[in-house]
Amino acid sequence: MEQPLRKTVIAGNWKMNQTPAETTQLLEEMKPLVKNAYCDVVVCVPYIDLHAALQATANTSICIGAENCHWEQSGAFTGEISAAMLSAIGVEYVILGHSERRTHFGETDVTVQKRIRAALNEKLKIILCVGESLEQREQGITVELIAMQVKIALGGVSEDELKQIIIAYEPVWAIGTGKTATAEQANAVCAVIRQTITDLYNQNCANAITIQYGGSMNAKNAEELLAQSDVDGGLIGGASLKAPDFAAIVGIASKT
Ligand code: PEP
């Protein structure tokens, strides 16, 4: 079968790091290092840094994303930011369902689905994160759990809307821990996600969707992970806070 042409996307997730001034500085350092990227480059930053990030990356190919959004357009939701607010300032991407949101802030597959609907309505591109905990992996329920997370999150998403969505497989036990899934483990679960897309939609959709791996990806392990047939990019936490490291991963992705 012909190898499908999918977009390779390398995205940084800065989490709760960087002030606006530090954002400008880090992106200025990154810009020349990733300017010849032969893949899509996205940097997702805290809400407070979005303006600085958009300014620093204007007229470059780096896209800026937020790390979450609320499902309502506006209203009495103190401390929240809506998808409409993000698109109003020119944000292109949003991460949804990150395991840190699920673990520390009580997010569920159902609230992730609602956030996806809101983001789709605002034409934002979405990086949907799914992943199992170590306990779940040891119980042998990774496949069922990942399929369920994907199915619930994509409830009500049309085939056309699916084009706005990237799925990131992020084993919870590998995030920020320095423990990386082996390339085989990462590829196997990314393949499960692709099969789930076939089941929900069709083979064409499954062939077209970008599936990233995330979890302690760095300049040393990126090559092997990105070489896997079902891994189409990376969602990078820690290593995205160092311009040379992030750029090295972008460089590797540009060659795969
Ligand atoms: C993440 O935050 O999505 C992530 C993968 O983090 P890290 O690369 O630090 O494990």
Side-chain angles (χ1 to χ4, degrees), residues 61-236:
S61 55
I62 302 174
C63 297
I64 296 303
E67 298 174 12
N68 198 16
C69 71
H70 196 261
W71 55 84
E72 293 292 341
Q73 266 206 316
S74 61
F77 299 97
T78 303
E80 294 295 319
I81 298 285
S82 71
M85 291 159 127
L86 296 177
S87 77
I89 64 163
V91 170
E92 251 185 90
Y93 279 82
V94 63
I95 296 174
L96 294 175
H98 193 280
S99 66
E100 285 154 15
R101 301 294 319 169
R102 296 178 194 249
T103 304
H104 304 303
F105 302 100
E107 288 195 21
T108 65
D109 292 322
V110 173
T111 59
V112 172
Q113 184 196 93
K114 289 165 75 169
R115 290 173 207 274
I116 287 182
R117 171 50 44 210
L120 287 172
N121 291 348
E122 294 301 329
K123 307 279 178 251
L124 292 171
K125 293 180 188 141
I126 295 160
I127 299 176
L128 160 64
C129 302
V130 296
E132 82 289 1
S133 65
L134 187 56
E135 205 181 6
Q136 290 162 334
R137 174 163 281 266
E138 285 170 354
Q139 282 176 315
I141 59 170
T142 300
V143 169
E144 291 91 335
L145 184 96
I146 299 291
M148 185 188 73
Q149 288 179 339
V150 170
K151 284 180 183 172
I152 298 175
L154 297 182
V157 173
S158 72
E159 194 176 317
D160 205 38
E161 289 171 329
L162 189 67
K163 294 178 188 141
Q164 279 171 248
I165 300 181
I166 290 168
I167 301 179
Y169 167 52
E170 297 212 305
V172 180
W173 47 272
I175 297 179
T177 58
K179 281 188 200 149
T180 320
T182 64
E184 292 72 28
Q185 284 172 327
N187 198 48
V189 181
C190 289
V192 166
I193 294 171
R194 208 173 297 288
Q195 182 58 48
T196 307
I197 298 298
T198 307
D199 298 344
L200 284 176
Y201 298 88
N202 54 55
Q203 189 74 55
N204 283 348
C205 290
N207 285 345
I209 194 163
T210 294
I211 302 177
Q212 298 172 317
Y213 168 78
S216 300
M217 192 188 271
N218 56 43
K220 288 201 181 97
N221 59 29
E223 188 155 6
E224 199 187 355
L225 287 161
L226 293 172
Q228 301 304 305
S229 58
D230 280 302
V231 178
D232 310 314
L235 181 55
I236 327 290

Side-chain angles (χ1 to χ4, degrees), residues 12-25:
N13 172 18
W14 285 7
K15 312 193 188 203
M16 195 174 72
N17 292 293
Q18 306 300 96
T19 63
E22 289 165 346
T23 296
T24 306
Q25 205 179 2

